[in-house]
Amino acid sequence: MRAGNEASTGSVGDSYVNALAENLRMLIKTECVRGRVFGTRAEANLALFEYIDGFHNGRLIQKRLGYLSPVEFEEKHYADQAEAERANLNTRQPDLTS
């Protein structure tokens, strides 16, 4: 152990050490990069950012959101808000004055 780092849990030749990182790298390569030509590094960086933040993260389900994706959670939130507003409007009785 150097500089406060702990050794990896994998061993030499163990396919589980980098499996998650390799899986993500191949996913990005397949869905975002393969078949495209970027004129500059900035264009490539923007494409990667848009894919990861705009496409992938928006669809990734999260436990803290009730196992919904951020997009689904937001849609449900606004639908629930609209339903609550409709319910509040329907229960109000007109004020009758004589």
Side-chain angles (χ1 to χ4, degrees):
M1 186 163 102
R2 291 187 205 176
N5 295 329
E6 292 187 26
S8 171
T9 57
S11 59
V12 175
D14 188 351
S15 62
Y16 299 111
V17 175
N18 291 322
L20 183 60
E22 290 297 320
N23 186 24
L24 180 60
R25 186 181 68 83
M26 286 305 298
L27 184 67
I28 290 171
K29 246 176 107 173
T30 301
E31 294 185 358
C32 178
V33 177
R34 187 171 285 147
R36 295 177 66 181
V37 176
F38 301 101
T40 65
R41 181 174 279 206
E43 287 177 16
N45 284 338
L46 181 60
L48 288 170
F49 173 78
E50 287 173 345
Y51 173 77
I52 293 169
D53 192 57
F55 176 77
H56 184 68
N57 284 347
R59 296 171 185 230
L60 186 66
I61 63 169
Q62 297 182 17
K63 181 179 179 180
R64 66 187 175 106
L65 299 180
Y67 294 99
L68 298 173
S69 72
V71 171
E72 292 168 331
F73 182 81
E74 189 172 316
E75 288 172 353
K76 182 181 180 309
H77 170 75
Y78 288 117
D80 291 348
Q81 258 189 342
E83 183 65 32
E85 287 177 11
R86 281 194 296 273
N88 287 340
L89 291 175
N90 291 338
T91 59
R92 290 178 49 192
Q93 299 294 325
D95 293 333
L96 300 175
T97 57
S98 47

